[in-house]
Amino acid sequence: MLEAFANGFSGLLAGFMHLQISNVVMIIVGCVLLYLGIKKDFEPLLLVPIGFGCILVNIPLANLMEPHGFLRTIYDAGIMTELFPLLIFVGIGAMTDFSPVLENPVTFLLGAAGQCGIFLTLGLALALGFTELDAVAIGVIGACDGPTAIYVTAKYAPHLLGAVSVAAYSYMSLVPVIQPPIMRALTTEKERMVVMRATRKSVSKTTRILFPLVITILGGLIAPMGLPLLGTIMLGNLMRECGAVERLTKASANEIANVVTLLLGISIGATMDGKIFLQKQTLIVLALGFVAICLDTACGVLLGKVLYITSKGKINPLIGAAGISAFPMSARVVMKEGQKYNKKNYLLMHAMGANAAGQIGSVIAAAVMLSVLKGMGII
Amino acid sequence: MDKLTFGVTMLVVGMGGTLLTLGIISAIIALMKKIFPYKKEEEEKA
């Protein structure tokens, strides 16, 4: 009888007995993510499920990520099949108004410059000894676009998924901290004070409906490997612009996006097992992700300066910083920074154009990258 | 293929391809705006 009591009691202590230091560290990391999401409002929709998933997977003996564990089932169904990031993209397309970039198509170029960090960081990762596909996954953090980073990493470097996703979403939420010093360092006060003329509404409904079709067909032909990314975001946008399927648009932007965000977040958190996550490699990935976003911002501002010169001072180079995919946060940062130097300067709509271009640019960059990899026989 | 060749190819073809694709899209949108100009009345009707 006493032995049975002892055995039964040991069952209650087994979790504590198997708790390793790596699990404790990761539970603390999970709590920090929850704190950032709940208290600091940093991307709460993602950081809360990611943080909670991180805590769940680091509790020993629950085996949630073992075969038939519930987190493994969600992960296999949505991440390994690439379904979750693609469904999120339908929602993003349905939520995003691309009119600002259509009003001024030249801002597409800023959306391209904002992707330089992807390719430069890829080179840095290679120099640090990462394999080709690992370097691609690390570089894609520079897309500043969570679903793109998850799509590419889950497909080609799944062992880096936790680190890449956390880096992508954390740095996206830190854009208001990361970007301003770079913007100030690369521009003069005179440039920052440039007032841009207000844009007038100039895009017809026909153009807005044709836009997603053009991007899908052209982008798909140039970079077929990225068509799932392009196709889903543009499907969402077509539904939004045509106005004929309001119920589907609303469902994509709300119910589907919300459910998938929850499942995506908890699945990413589930990849943060202490034994796998707490490695030197993870810290390098996080550092390279930071570098990628700094390089994106710098390249965007530098192209903004080129446009400032070519337009004879009509374009404020600060809007170049918004050529990344952190939408609309980056545009707000530009607006705020511009108003620090000229209170009457309303750069928001111009920056929104660059920001929307950055969103398309990040998807195009990933699509092009995958097709180049395919062409080289790497994938 | 060595890593240097891979990295440089990705930088030149990847970044160049992205810039070119977005440049073409930009030109097509500018063209579409000319072919289908904005008409205030149509938008109001819609």
Side-chain angles (χ1 to χ4, degrees), chain A residues 96-98 100-102 104-115 211 215 322-325 327 350-365, chain B residues 18 22:
Chain A
T96 309
D97 178 9
F98 287 112
V101 65
L102 299 179
N104 188 8
V106 79
T107 49
F108 271 111
L109 298 178
L110 294 172
Q115 313 312 318
F211 166 71
I215 298 260
I324 60 170
S325 186
F327 186 88
H350 302 283
M352 286 288 251
N355 215 176
Q359 195 145 48
I360 295 169
S362 68
V363 180
I364 296 272
Chain B
T18 303
L22 287 167

PDB file of all heavy atoms in Angstrom, chain A residues 96-98 100-102 104-115 211 215 322-325 327 350-365, chain B residues 18 22:
ATOM      1  N   THR A  96      -6.216  45.026 -46.992  1.00  0.00           N
ATOM      2  CA  THR A  96      -5.323  46.111 -47.418  1.00  0.00           C
ATOM      3  C   THR A  96      -5.886  46.919 -48.576  1.00  0.00           C
ATOM      4  O   THR A  96      -6.314  46.362 -49.588  1.00  0.00           O
ATOM      5  CB  THR A  96      -3.942  45.537 -47.810  1.00  0.00           C
ATOM      6  OG1 THR A  96      -3.487  44.703 -46.753  1.00  0.00           O
ATOM      7  CG2 THR A  96      -2.941  46.661 -48.042  1.00  0.00           C
ATOM      8  N   ASP A  97      -5.821  48.225 -48.392  1.00  0.00           N
ATOM      9  CA  ASP A  97      -6.205  49.141 -49.471  1.00  0.00           C
ATOM     10  C   ASP A  97      -4.917  49.563 -50.179  1.00  0.00           C
ATOM     11  O   ASP A  97      -4.085  50.264 -49.603  1.00  0.00           O
ATOM     12  CB  ASP A  97      -6.908  50.359 -48.854  1.00  0.00           C
ATOM     13  CG  ASP A  97      -7.292  51.378 -49.906  1.00  0.00           C
ATOM     14  OD1 ASP A  97      -7.169  51.067 -51.109  1.00  0.00           O
ATOM     15  OD2 ASP A  97      -7.701  52.492 -49.527  1.00  0.00           O
ATOM     16  N   PHE A  98      -4.732  49.100 -51.410  1.00  0.00           N
ATOM     17  CA  PHE A  98      -3.513  49.419 -52.135  1.00  0.00           C
ATOM     18  C   PHE A  98      -3.615  50.747 -52.899  1.00  0.00           C
ATOM     19  O   PHE A  98      -2.708  51.087 -53.652  1.00  0.00           O
ATOM     20  CB  PHE A  98      -3.146  48.284 -53.106  1.00  0.00           C
ATOM     21  CG  PHE A  98      -2.616  47.048 -52.420  1.00  0.00           C
ATOM     22  CD1 PHE A  98      -3.343  45.872 -52.408  1.00  0.00           C
ATOM     23  CD2 PHE A  98      -1.393  47.071 -51.769  1.00  0.00           C
ATOM     24  CE1 PHE A  98      -2.863  44.735 -51.757  1.00  0.00           C
ATOM     25  CE2 PHE A  98      -0.908  45.948 -51.116  1.00  0.00           C
ATOM     26  CZ  PHE A  98      -1.645  44.776 -51.115  1.00  0.00           C
ATOM     27  N   PRO A 100      -3.132  53.882 -52.126  1.00  0.00           N
ATOM     28  CA  PRO A 100      -2.038  54.862 -52.039  1.00  0.00           C
ATOM     29  C   PRO A 100      -0.887  54.575 -52.999  1.00  0.00           C
ATOM     30  O   PRO A 100      -0.299  55.503 -53.569  1.00  0.00           O
ATOM     31  CB  PRO A 100      -1.577  54.757 -50.579  1.00  0.00           C
ATOM     32  CG  PRO A 100      -2.754  54.243 -49.842  1.00  0.00           C
ATOM     33  CD  PRO A 100      -3.464  53.337 -50.798  1.00  0.00           C
ATOM     34  N   VAL A 101      -0.562  53.299 -53.190  1.00  0.00           N
ATOM     35  CA  VAL A 101       0.542  52.993 -54.116  1.00  0.00           C
ATOM     36  C   VAL A 101       0.070  53.108 -55.566  1.00  0.00           C
ATOM     37  O   VAL A 101       0.837  53.482 -56.458  1.00  0.00           O
ATOM     38  CB  VAL A 101       1.185  51.611 -53.821  1.00  0.00           C
ATOM     39  CG1 VAL A 101       0.257  50.465 -54.057  1.00  0.00           C
ATOM     40  CG2 VAL A 101       2.430  51.412 -54.655  1.00  0.00           C
ATOM     41  N   LEU A 102      -1.205  52.853 -55.809  1.00  0.00           N
ATOM     42  CA  LEU A 102      -1.723  52.989 -57.178  1.00  0.00           C
ATOM     43  C   LEU A 102      -1.812  54.465 -57.574  1.00  0.00           C
ATOM     44  O   LEU A 102      -1.674  54.810 -58.746  1.00  0.00           O
ATOM     45  CB  LEU A 102      -3.096  52.317 -57.301  1.00  0.00           C
ATOM     46  CG  LEU A 102      -3.141  50.814 -57.010  1.00  0.00           C
ATOM     47  CD1 LEU A 102      -4.551  50.273 -57.152  1.00  0.00           C
ATOM     48  CD2 LEU A 102      -2.212  50.057 -57.933  1.00  0.00           C
ATOM     49  N   ASN A 104       0.320  56.672 -56.869  1.00  0.00           N
ATOM     50  CA  ASN A 104       1.662  57.114 -57.247  1.00  0.00           C
ATOM     51  C   ASN A 104       2.534  55.884 -57.504  1.00  0.00           C
ATOM     52  O   ASN A 104       3.296  55.457 -56.634  1.00  0.00           O
ATOM     53  CB  ASN A 104       2.233  57.974 -56.098  1.00  0.00           C
ATOM     54  CG  ASN A 104       3.516  58.632 -56.469  1.00  0.00           C
ATOM     55  OD1 ASN A 104       3.941  58.596 -57.633  1.00  0.00           O
ATOM     56  ND2 ASN A 104       4.178  59.233 -55.490  1.00  0.00           N
ATOM     57  N   PRO A 105       2.429  55.285 -58.711  1.00  0.00           N
ATOM     58  CA  PRO A 105       3.085  53.989 -58.959  1.00  0.00           C
ATOM     59  C   PRO A 105       4.607  53.998 -58.802  1.00  0.00           C
ATOM     60  O   PRO A 105       5.205  52.943 -58.621  1.00  0.00           O
ATOM     61  CB  PRO A 105       2.700  53.671 -60.408  1.00  0.00           C
ATOM     62  CG  PRO A 105       1.535  54.518 -60.720  1.00  0.00           C
ATOM     63  CD  PRO A 105       1.642  55.736 -59.863  1.00  0.00           C
ATOM     64  N   VAL A 106       5.211  55.193 -58.849  1.00  0.00           N
ATOM     65  CA  VAL A 106       6.676  55.239 -58.705  1.00  0.00           C
ATOM     66  C   VAL A 106       7.113  54.710 -57.329  1.00  0.00           C
ATOM     67  O   VAL A 106       8.245  54.229 -57.151  1.00  0.00           O
ATOM     68  CB  VAL A 106       7.215  56.667 -58.986  1.00  0.00           C
ATOM     69  CG1 VAL A 106       7.009  57.588 -57.802  1.00  0.00           C
ATOM     70  CG2 VAL A 106       8.693  56.627 -59.348  1.00  0.00           C
ATOM     71  N   THR A 107       6.180  54.744 -56.377  1.00  0.00           N
ATOM     72  CA  THR A 107       6.541  54.257 -55.036  1.00  0.00           C
ATOM     73  C   THR A 107       6.765  52.741 -54.999  1.00  0.00           C
ATOM     74  O   THR A 107       7.299  52.220 -54.027  1.00  0.00           O
ATOM     75  CB  THR A 107       5.470  54.643 -53.974  1.00  0.00           C
ATOM     76  OG1 THR A 107       4.188  54.299 -54.464  1.00  0.00           O
ATOM     77  CG2 THR A 107       5.518  56.087 -53.612  1.00  0.00           C
ATOM     78  N   PHE A 108       6.382  52.046 -56.083  1.00  0.00           N
ATOM     79  CA  PHE A 108       6.712  50.618 -56.155  1.00  0.00           C
ATOM     80  C   PHE A 108       8.225  50.413 -56.037  1.00  0.00           C
ATOM     81  O   PHE A 108       8.694  49.401 -55.516  1.00  0.00           O
ATOM     82  CB  PHE A 108       6.234  50.021 -57.490  1.00  0.00           C
ATOM     83  CG  PHE A 108       4.817  49.508 -57.435  1.00  0.00           C
ATOM     84  CD1 PHE A 108       3.805  50.150 -58.123  1.00  0.00           C
ATOM     85  CD2 PHE A 108       4.497  48.370 -56.707  1.00  0.00           C
ATOM     86  CE1 PHE A 108       2.504  49.679 -58.082  1.00  0.00           C
ATOM     87  CE2 PHE A 108       3.194  47.889 -56.663  1.00  0.00           C
ATOM     88  CZ  PHE A 108       2.197  48.547 -57.351  1.00  0.00           C
ATOM     89  N   LEU A 109       8.968  51.401 -56.559  1.00  0.00           N
ATOM     90  CA  LEU A 109      10.435  51.287 -56.507  1.00  0.00           C
ATOM     91  C   LEU A 109      10.935  51.327 -55.068  1.00  0.00           C
ATOM     92  O   LEU A 109      11.903  50.660 -54.708  1.00  0.00           O
ATOM     93  CB  LEU A 109      11.088  52.403 -57.335  1.00  0.00           C
ATOM     94  CG  LEU A 109      10.745  52.380 -58.830  1.00  0.00           C
ATOM     95  CD1 LEU A 109      11.403  53.533 -59.546  1.00  0.00           C
ATOM     96  CD2 LEU A 109      11.181  51.058 -59.455  1.00  0.00           C
ATOM     97  N   LEU A 110      10.247  52.122 -54.227  1.00  0.00           N
ATOM     98  CA  LEU A 110      10.635  52.160 -52.811  1.00  0.00           C
ATOM     99  C   LEU A 110      10.345  50.801 -52.158  1.00  0.00           C
ATOM    100  O   LEU A 110      11.080  50.353 -51.276  1.00  0.00           O
ATOM    101  CB  LEU A 110       9.872  53.269 -52.076  1.00  0.00           C
ATOM    102  CG  LEU A 110      10.216  54.693 -52.523  1.00  0.00           C
ATOM    103  CD1 LEU A 110       9.269  55.702 -51.884  1.00  0.00           C
ATOM    104  CD2 LEU A 110      11.653  55.039 -52.168  1.00  0.00           C
ATOM    105  N   GLY A 111       9.270  50.168 -52.620  1.00  0.00           N
ATOM    106  CA  GLY A 111       8.941  48.828 -52.114  1.00  0.00           C
ATOM    107  C   GLY A 111       9.980  47.802 -52.528  1.00  0.00           C
ATOM    108  O   GLY A 111      10.174  46.796 -51.842  1.00  0.00           O
ATOM    109  N   ALA A 112      10.656  48.062 -53.641  1.00  0.00           N
ATOM    110  CA  ALA A 112      11.743  47.151 -54.061  1.00  0.00           C
ATOM    111  C   ALA A 112      12.986  47.409 -53.220  1.00  0.00           C
ATOM    112  O   ALA A 112      13.628  46.469 -52.732  1.00  0.00           O
ATOM    113  CB  ALA A 112      12.039  47.353 -55.540  1.00  0.00           C
ATOM    114  N   ALA A 113      13.313  48.703 -53.035  1.00  0.00           N
ATOM    115  CA  ALA A 113      14.522  49.045 -52.265  1.00  0.00           C
ATOM    116  C   ALA A 113      14.426  48.510 -50.840  1.00  0.00           C
ATOM    117  O   ALA A 113      15.426  48.091 -50.251  1.00  0.00           O
ATOM    118  CB  ALA A 113      14.709  50.557 -52.247  1.00  0.00           C
ATOM    119  N   GLY A 114      13.198  48.498 -50.320  1.00  0.00           N
ATOM    120  CA  GLY A 114      12.993  48.014 -48.956  1.00  0.00           C
ATOM    121  C   GLY A 114      13.233  46.520 -48.801  1.00  0.00           C
ATOM    122  O   GLY A 114      13.134  45.986 -47.694  1.00  0.00           O
ATOM    123  N   GLN A 115      13.526  45.846 -49.893  1.00  0.00           N
ATOM    124  CA  GLN A 115      13.785  44.393 -49.802  1.00  0.00           C
ATOM    125  C   GLN A 115      15.279  44.076 -49.906  1.00  0.00           C
ATOM    126  O   GLN A 115      15.676  42.910 -49.856  1.00  0.00           O
ATOM    127  CB  GLN A 115      13.029  43.627 -50.917  1.00  0.00           C
ATOM    128  CG  GLN A 115      11.579  44.005 -51.084  1.00  0.00           C
ATOM    129  CD  GLN A 115      10.805  44.037 -49.787  1.00  0.00           C
ATOM    130  OE1 GLN A 115      10.964  43.156 -48.938  1.00  0.00           O
ATOM    131  NE2 GLN A 115       9.978  45.057 -49.599  1.00  0.00           N
ATOM    132  N   PHE A 211      -5.752  45.479 -60.971  1.00  0.00           N
ATOM    133  CA  PHE A 211      -4.449  45.429 -60.308  1.00  0.00           C
ATOM    134  C   PHE A 211      -4.103  44.035 -59.749  1.00  0.00           C
ATOM    135  O   PHE A 211      -3.041  43.481 -60.077  1.00  0.00           O
ATOM    136  CB  PHE A 211      -4.404  46.522 -59.225  1.00  0.00           C
ATOM    137  CG  PHE A 211      -3.287  46.388 -58.251  1.00  0.00           C
ATOM    138  CD1 PHE A 211      -1.968  46.633 -58.642  1.00  0.00           C
ATOM    139  CD2 PHE A 211      -3.527  46.018 -56.940  1.00  0.00           C
ATOM    140  CE1 PHE A 211      -0.936  46.498 -57.733  1.00  0.00           C
ATOM    141  CE2 PHE A 211      -2.497  45.891 -56.026  1.00  0.00           C
ATOM    142  CZ  PHE A 211      -1.204  46.126 -56.427  1.00  0.00           C
ATOM    143  N   ILE A 215      -0.950  41.670 -61.175  1.00  0.00           N
ATOM    144  CA  ILE A 215       0.142  41.214 -60.292  1.00  0.00           C
ATOM    145  C   ILE A 215       0.199  39.684 -60.298  1.00  0.00           C
ATOM    146  O   ILE A 215       1.280  39.098 -60.391  1.00  0.00           O
ATOM    147  CB  ILE A 215      -0.098  41.689 -58.836  1.00  0.00           C
ATOM    148  CG1 ILE A 215      -0.117  43.198 -58.759  1.00  0.00           C
ATOM    149  CG2 ILE A 215       0.919  41.069 -57.892  1.00  0.00           C
ATOM    150  CD1 ILE A 215       1.119  43.852 -58.291  1.00  0.00           C
ATOM    151  N   ALA A 322       9.530  53.618 -45.399  1.00  0.00           N
ATOM    152  CA  ALA A 322       8.268  52.868 -45.311  1.00  0.00           C
ATOM    153  C   ALA A 322       8.157  51.784 -46.382  1.00  0.00           C
ATOM    154  O   ALA A 322       7.145  51.096 -46.447  1.00  0.00           O
ATOM    155  CB  ALA A 322       7.090  53.829 -45.429  1.00  0.00           C
ATOM    156  N   GLY A 323       9.205  51.625 -47.200  1.00  0.00           N
ATOM    157  CA  GLY A 323       9.142  50.615 -48.266  1.00  0.00           C
ATOM    158  C   GLY A 323       9.302  49.192 -47.760  1.00  0.00           C
ATOM    159  O   GLY A 323       9.767  48.319 -48.475  1.00  0.00           O
ATOM    160  N   ILE A 324       8.941  48.955 -46.519  1.00  0.00           N
ATOM    161  CA  ILE A 324       8.990  47.596 -45.965  1.00  0.00           C
ATOM    162  C   ILE A 324       7.557  47.120 -45.731  1.00  0.00           C
ATOM    163  O   ILE A 324       6.612  47.872 -45.910  1.00  0.00           O
ATOM    164  CB  ILE A 324       9.812  47.540 -44.654  1.00  0.00           C
ATOM    165  CG1 ILE A 324       9.203  48.440 -43.579  1.00  0.00           C
ATOM    166  CG2 ILE A 324      11.245  47.915 -44.900  1.00  0.00           C
ATOM    167  CD1 ILE A 324       9.814  48.250 -42.210  1.00  0.00           C
ATOM    168  N   SER A 325       7.441  45.870 -45.280  1.00  0.00           N
ATOM    169  CA  SER A 325       6.102  45.292 -45.230  1.00  0.00           C
ATOM    170  C   SER A 325       5.369  45.503 -43.904  1.00  0.00           C
ATOM    171  O   SER A 325       4.257  45.021 -43.746  1.00  0.00           O
ATOM    172  CB  SER A 325       6.215  43.800 -45.540  1.00  0.00           C
ATOM    173  OG  SER A 325       4.961  43.236 -45.644  1.00  0.00           O
ATOM    174  N   PHE A 327       3.073  47.017 -42.228  1.00  0.00           N
ATOM    175  CA  PHE A 327       1.987  47.901 -42.669  1.00  0.00           C
ATOM    176  C   PHE A 327       0.904  48.002 -41.596  1.00  0.00           C
ATOM    177  O   PHE A 327       0.468  46.966 -41.094  1.00  0.00           O
ATOM    178  CB  PHE A 327       1.393  47.320 -43.959  1.00  0.00           C
ATOM    179  CG  PHE A 327       0.360  48.166 -44.622  1.00  0.00           C
ATOM    180  CD1 PHE A 327       0.724  49.132 -45.541  1.00  0.00           C
ATOM    181  CD2 PHE A 327      -0.991  48.007 -44.327  1.00  0.00           C
ATOM    182  CE1 PHE A 327      -0.243  49.900 -46.176  1.00  0.00           C
ATOM    183  CE2 PHE A 327      -1.943  48.784 -44.945  1.00  0.00           C
ATOM    184  CZ  PHE A 327      -1.573  49.731 -45.878  1.00  0.00           C
ATOM    185  N   HIS A 350       1.591  59.493 -48.476  1.00  0.00           N
ATOM    186  CA  HIS A 350       2.737  59.143 -49.335  1.00  0.00           C
ATOM    187  C   HIS A 350       3.473  57.931 -48.751  1.00  0.00           C
ATOM    188  O   HIS A 350       3.868  57.014 -49.464  1.00  0.00           O
ATOM    189  CB  HIS A 350       3.688  60.330 -49.440  1.00  0.00           C
ATOM    190  CG  HIS A 350       3.022  61.555 -49.974  1.00  0.00           C
ATOM    191  ND1 HIS A 350       2.739  61.712 -51.308  1.00  0.00           N
ATOM    192  CD2 HIS A 350       2.556  62.669 -49.350  1.00  0.00           C
ATOM    193  CE1 HIS A 350       2.124  62.880 -51.486  1.00  0.00           C
ATOM    194  NE2 HIS A 350       2.001  63.473 -50.310  1.00  0.00           N
ATOM    195  N   ALA A 351       3.636  57.957 -47.432  1.00  0.00           N
ATOM    196  CA  ALA A 351       4.323  56.844 -46.772  1.00  0.00           C
ATOM    197  C   ALA A 351       3.489  55.566 -46.867  1.00  0.00           C
ATOM    198  O   ALA A 351       4.030  54.462 -47.003  1.00  0.00           O
ATOM    199  CB  ALA A 351       4.597  57.193 -45.316  1.00  0.00           C
ATOM    200  N   MET A 352       2.152  55.726 -46.825  1.00  0.00           N
ATOM    201  CA  MET A 352       1.271  54.552 -46.976  1.00  0.00           C
ATOM    202  C   MET A 352       1.484  53.923 -48.354  1.00  0.00           C
ATOM    203  O   MET A 352       1.426  52.696 -48.504  1.00  0.00           O
ATOM    204  CB  MET A 352      -0.193  54.950 -46.820  1.00  0.00           C
ATOM    205  CG  MET A 352      -0.582  55.244 -45.408  1.00  0.00           C
ATOM    206  SD  MET A 352      -0.657  53.780 -44.421  1.00  0.00           S
ATOM    207  CE  MET A 352      -2.396  53.647 -44.201  1.00  0.00           C
ATOM    208  N   GLY A 353       1.702  54.770 -49.363  1.00  0.00           N
ATOM    209  CA  GLY A 353       1.973  54.270 -50.719  1.00  0.00           C
ATOM    210  C   GLY A 353       3.224  53.406 -50.720  1.00  0.00           C
ATOM    211  O   GLY A 353       3.226  52.271 -51.229  1.00  0.00           O
ATOM    212  N   ALA A 354       4.292  53.946 -50.113  1.00  0.00           N
ATOM    213  CA  ALA A 354       5.549  53.188 -50.057  1.00  0.00           C
ATOM    214  C   ALA A 354       5.362  51.918 -49.227  1.00  0.00           C
ATOM    215  O   ALA A 354       5.899  50.855 -49.564  1.00  0.00           O
ATOM    216  CB  ALA A 354       6.640  54.060 -49.454  1.00  0.00           C
ATOM    217  N   ASN A 355       4.570  52.030 -48.173  1.00  0.00           N
ATOM    218  CA  ASN A 355       4.351  50.893 -47.278  1.00  0.00           C
ATOM    219  C   ASN A 355       3.557  49.776 -47.989  1.00  0.00           C
ATOM    220  O   ASN A 355       3.882  48.581 -47.867  1.00  0.00           O
ATOM    221  CB  ASN A 355       3.589  51.375 -46.043  1.00  0.00           C
ATOM    222  CG  ASN A 355       4.000  50.669 -44.762  1.00  0.00           C
ATOM    223  OD1 ASN A 355       3.536  50.993 -43.686  1.00  0.00           O
ATOM    224  ND2 ASN A 355       4.872  49.682 -44.835  1.00  0.00           N
ATOM    225  N   ALA A 356       2.523  50.169 -48.732  1.00  0.00           N
ATOM    226  CA  ALA A 356       1.751  49.179 -49.500  1.00  0.00           C
ATOM    227  C   ALA A 356       2.640  48.545 -50.571  1.00  0.00           C
ATOM    228  O   ALA A 356       2.572  47.337 -50.828  1.00  0.00           O
ATOM    229  CB  ALA A 356       0.535  49.846 -50.134  1.00  0.00           C
ATOM    230  N   ALA A 357       3.518  49.376 -51.159  1.00  0.00           N
ATOM    231  CA  ALA A 357       4.468  48.841 -52.152  1.00  0.00           C
ATOM    232  C   ALA A 357       5.420  47.856 -51.478  1.00  0.00           C
ATOM    233  O   ALA A 357       5.790  46.836 -52.064  1.00  0.00           O
ATOM    234  CB  ALA A 357       5.251  49.984 -52.781  1.00  0.00           C
ATOM    235  N   GLY A 358       5.794  48.163 -50.233  1.00  0.00           N
ATOM    236  CA  GLY A 358       6.674  47.264 -49.490  1.00  0.00           C
ATOM    237  C   GLY A 358       6.014  45.924 -49.237  1.00  0.00           C
ATOM    238  O   GLY A 358       6.651  44.877 -49.267  1.00  0.00           O
ATOM    239  N   GLN A 359       4.698  45.966 -49.009  1.00  0.00           N
ATOM    240  CA  GLN A 359       3.970  44.718 -48.769  1.00  0.00           C
ATOM    241  C   GLN A 359       3.993  43.842 -50.029  1.00  0.00           C
ATOM    242  O   GLN A 359       4.259  42.645 -49.951  1.00  0.00           O
ATOM    243  CB  GLN A 359       2.535  45.044 -48.379  1.00  0.00           C
ATOM    244  CG  GLN A 359       1.817  43.870 -47.782  1.00  0.00           C
ATOM    245  CD  GLN A 359       0.859  44.298 -46.697  1.00  0.00           C
ATOM    246  OE1 GLN A 359       0.092  45.220 -46.912  1.00  0.00           O
ATOM    247  NE2 GLN A 359       0.897  43.655 -45.567  1.00  0.00           N
ATOM    248  N   ILE A 360       3.742  44.486 -51.167  1.00  0.00           N
ATOM    249  CA  ILE A 360       3.793  43.719 -52.425  1.00  0.00           C
ATOM    250  C   ILE A 360       5.248  43.333 -52.715  1.00  0.00           C
ATOM    251  O   ILE A 360       5.548  42.217 -53.129  1.00  0.00           O
ATOM    252  CB  ILE A 360       3.207  44.555 -53.582  1.00  0.00           C
ATOM    253  CG1 ILE A 360       1.728  44.795 -53.311  1.00  0.00           C
ATOM    254  CG2 ILE A 360       3.388  43.852 -54.917  1.00  0.00           C
ATOM    255  CD1 ILE A 360       1.092  45.811 -54.208  1.00  0.00           C
ATOM    256  N   GLY A 361       6.156  44.290 -52.466  1.00  0.00           N
ATOM    257  CA  GLY A 361       7.582  44.052 -52.729  1.00  0.00           C
ATOM    258  C   GLY A 361       8.104  42.843 -51.969  1.00  0.00           C
ATOM    259  O   GLY A 361       8.867  42.038 -52.527  1.00  0.00           O
ATOM    260  N   SER A 362       7.685  42.686 -50.716  1.00  0.00           N
ATOM    261  CA  SER A 362       8.207  41.566 -49.923  1.00  0.00           C
ATOM    262  C   SER A 362       7.755  40.228 -50.511  1.00  0.00           C
ATOM    263  O   SER A 362       8.515  39.267 -50.560  1.00  0.00           O
ATOM    264  CB  SER A 362       7.762  41.698 -48.467  1.00  0.00           C
ATOM    265  OG  SER A 362       6.377  41.507 -48.357  1.00  0.00           O
ATOM    266  N   VAL A 363       6.515  40.207 -50.981  1.00  0.00           N
ATOM    267  CA  VAL A 363       5.997  38.961 -51.570  1.00  0.00           C
ATOM    268  C   VAL A 363       6.705  38.679 -52.898  1.00  0.00           C
ATOM    269  O   VAL A 363       7.116  37.546 -53.180  1.00  0.00           O
ATOM    270  CB  VAL A 363       4.464  39.054 -51.771  1.00  0.00           C
ATOM    271  CG1 VAL A 363       3.925  37.783 -52.381  1.00  0.00           C
ATOM    272  CG2 VAL A 363       3.774  39.316 -50.446  1.00  0.00           C
ATOM    273  N   ILE A 364       6.873  39.751 -53.695  1.00  0.00           N
ATOM    274  CA  ILE A 364       7.553  39.582 -54.988  1.00  0.00           C
ATOM    275  C   ILE A 364       9.002  39.124 -54.747  1.00  0.00           C
ATOM    276  O   ILE A 364       9.499  38.223 -55.437  1.00  0.00           O
ATOM    277  CB  ILE A 364       7.551  40.916 -55.782  1.00  0.00           C
ATOM    278  CG1 ILE A 364       6.122  41.337 -56.129  1.00  0.00           C
ATOM    279  CG2 ILE A 364       8.451  40.836 -57.014  1.00  0.00           C
ATOM    280  CD1 ILE A 364       5.554  40.802 -57.407  1.00  0.00           C
ATOM    281  N   ALA A 365       9.661  39.752 -53.771  1.00  0.00           N
ATOM    282  CA  ALA A 365      11.065  39.394 -53.499  1.00  0.00           C
ATOM    283  C   ALA A 365      11.180  37.918 -53.119  1.00  0.00           C
ATOM    284  O   ALA A 365      12.066  37.202 -53.608  1.00  0.00           O
ATOM    285  CB  ALA A 365      11.619  40.274 -52.384  1.00  0.00           C
TER     286      ALA A 365
ATOM    287  N   THR B  18      13.617  41.458 -58.498  1.00  0.00           N
ATOM    288  CA  THR B  18      12.574  42.126 -57.701  1.00  0.00           C
ATOM    289  C   THR B  18      12.360  43.555 -58.207  1.00  0.00           C
ATOM    290  O   THR B  18      11.219  43.995 -58.418  1.00  0.00           O
ATOM    291  CB  THR B  18      13.009  42.165 -56.207  1.00  0.00           C
ATOM    292  OG1 THR B  18      13.263  40.832 -55.780  1.00  0.00           O
ATOM    293  CG2 THR B  18      11.941  42.788 -55.337  1.00  0.00           C
ATOM    294  N   LEU B  22       8.936  44.881 -60.035  1.00  0.00           N
ATOM    295  CA  LEU B  22       8.158  46.003 -59.493  1.00  0.00           C
ATOM    296  C   LEU B  22       8.176  47.201 -60.441  1.00  0.00           C
ATOM    297  O   LEU B  22       7.200  47.944 -60.533  1.00  0.00           O
ATOM    298  CB  LEU B  22       8.671  46.375 -58.099  1.00  0.00           C
ATOM    299  CG  LEU B  22       8.292  45.343 -57.030  1.00  0.00           C
ATOM    300  CD1 LEU B  22       9.061  45.561 -55.752  1.00  0.00           C
ATOM    301  CD2 LEU B  22       6.800  45.381 -56.729  1.00  0.00           C
TER     302      LEU B  22
END
